[in-house]
């Protein structure tokens, strides 16, 4: 029962992490405009992985997709690739996990096969969570670097203060971190449940009884003697021989 609960909980947690990765990748608020020391608040800018948006105080929001691929920074494209790889691996991992659930019986699938599928699904979910966490962390590192570079340019000594647009962490980053952590935890739980699904191996020897006749005072009597069989008795033509009238199994 504990193995089934651990497996199902791992599947549910991984599903939540997978959904969070999709939501984080599709969100536009990966980086939002920093309004600290910014007197212009009528226009608010934020950017995502696929487009940049401008929101006005009147409530009008206009978004413009990125019409270029080669013109984007290499690290930005790496973040895109990590998030897409994480989503693809998470989808395959959840698909495999559905067939490996112990509470779901499909055909005559043995527990050893379900254990292998559970381990495979867990590893896929772990890698998917790591891809999401790495992608979000790389983007956050880019934001921190650009933020302090913009701050240094704004407050250079001996020069007039210039107003520059600085960006800080958006909501999508926190969603991505949480989603990656959920996928990672769910994959670990499925890997732990894999150990409980492996059937225990039993080692035993087959025992047969052969009759050994002897004479006594009252006549001929039969006595059963246990004999340990290690190999199957076969005839000269390779087929299994049938027991004789003196063999009792």
């Amino acid at each position: 029962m504990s193995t089934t609960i651990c497996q199902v909980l791992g599947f549910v947690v991984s599903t939540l992490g997978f959904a969070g990765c999709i939501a984080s990748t599709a969100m536009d608020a990966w980086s939002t405009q920093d309004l600290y020391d910014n007197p212009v608040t009528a226009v608010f800018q934020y950017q995502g992985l696929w487009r940049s948006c401008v929101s006005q105080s009147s409530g009008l929001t206009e978004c413009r997709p990125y019409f270029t691929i080669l013109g984007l920074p290499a690290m930005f494209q790496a973040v895109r690739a990590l998030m897409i790889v994480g989503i693809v691996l998470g989808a395959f991992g959840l698909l495999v996990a559905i067939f490996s659930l112990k509470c779901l019986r499909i055909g005559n699938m043995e527990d050893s096969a379900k254990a292998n599928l559970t381990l495979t699904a867990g590893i896929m979910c772990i890698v998917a969570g790591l891809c999401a966490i790495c992608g979000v962390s790389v983007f956050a590192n880019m934001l921190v670097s650009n933020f302090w570079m913009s701050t240094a340019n704004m407050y250079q000594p001996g020069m007039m203060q210039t107003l520059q647009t600085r960006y800080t962490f958006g909501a999508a980053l926190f969603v991505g971190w949480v989603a990656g952590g959920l996928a990672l935890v769910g994959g670990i739980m499925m890997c732990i449940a894999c150990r409980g699904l492996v059937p225990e191996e039993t080692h035993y020897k087959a025992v047969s009884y052969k009759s050994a006749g002897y004479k006594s005072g009252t006549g001929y009597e039969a006595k059963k003697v246990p004999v340990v069989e290690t190999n199957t008795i076969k005839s000269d033509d390779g087929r299994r021989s049938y027991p004789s009238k003196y063999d009792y199994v």
Side-chain angles (χ1 to χ4, degrees):
M1 182 63 69
S2 60
T3 301
T4 305
I5 294 176
C6 183
Q7 186 186 30
V8 173
L9 285 179
F11 175 76
V12 173
V13 173
S14 299
T15 304
L16 293 177
F18 173 72
C21 289
I22 295 178
S24 175
T25 306
M27 290 176 65
D28 295 326
W30 277 69
S31 59
T32 58
Q33 183 179 358
D34 183 31
L35 299 179
Y36 182 74
D37 289 342
N38 189 358
V40 181
T41 58
V43 178
F44 180 72
Q45 301 178 10
Y46 54 94
Q47 298 176 351
L49 294 180
W50 313 103
R51 59 182 183 175
S52 60
C53 300
V54 176
S55 178
Q56 299 180 3
S57 58
S58 60
L60 180 63
T61 301
E62 182 179 359
C63 295
R64 181 177 181 273
Y66 303 124
F67 293 105
T68 180
I69 296 178
L70 299 178
L72 297 174
M75 298 299 292
F76 191 86
Q77 298 182 15
V79 173
R80 279 182 171 183
L82 285 172
M83 298 303 295
I84 292 175
V85 169
I87 291 174
V88 172
L89 286 177
F92 280 109
L94 292 179
L95 182 62
V96 174
I98 291 175
F99 293 98
S100 66
L101 291 176
K102 191 176 181 180
C103 59
L104 182 63
R105 182 64 61 183
I106 300 177
N108 296 324
M109 185 179 297
E110 299 180 354
D111 290 340
S112 59
K114 285 183 174 290
N116 294 331
L117 290 178
T118 303
L119 180 61
T120 303
I123 293 175
M124 286 186 177
C125 291
I126 290 174
V127 177
L130 290 177
C131 287
I133 293 174
C134 291
V136 175
S137 299
V138 169
F139 194 90
N141 183 55
M142 293 172 53
L143 285 179
V144 172
S145 300
N146 294 333
F147 182 88
W148 290 114
M149 289 180 62
S150 300
T151 304
N153 293 332
M154 289 174 59
Y155 299 99
Q156 288 184 358
M159 297 182 62
M160 182 180 297
Q161 181 177 351
T162 58
L163 183 62
Q164 294 186 1
T165 304
R166 299 180 300 179
Y167 292 92
T168 184
F169 294 170
L173 295 181
F174 302 100
V175 174
W177 273 318
V178 174
L182 289 176
L184 183 63
V185 172
I188 293 175
M189 294 179 66
M190 285 192 285
C191 290
I192 294 175
C194 167
R195 301 184 59 184
L197 295 174
V198 178
E200 297 181 358
E201 297 182 358
T202 57
H203 302 280
Y204 62 91
K205 296 181 180 180
V207 179
S208 63
Y209 293 88
K210 291 187 177 181
S211 61
Y214 64 95
K215 291 183 179 181
S216 63
T218 58
Y220 185 86
E221 295 182 0
K223 180 181 180 182
K224 294 183 179 180
V225 180
V227 179
V228 178
E229 295 182 356
T230 56
N231 298 323
T232 305
I233 303 175
K234 295 185 179 180
S235 59
D236 296 334
D237 56 355
R239 295 178 299 177
R240 182 177 180 180
S241 62
Y242 295 95
S244 63
K245 62 181 180 179
Y246 299 104
D247 298 334
Y248 298 89
V249 178

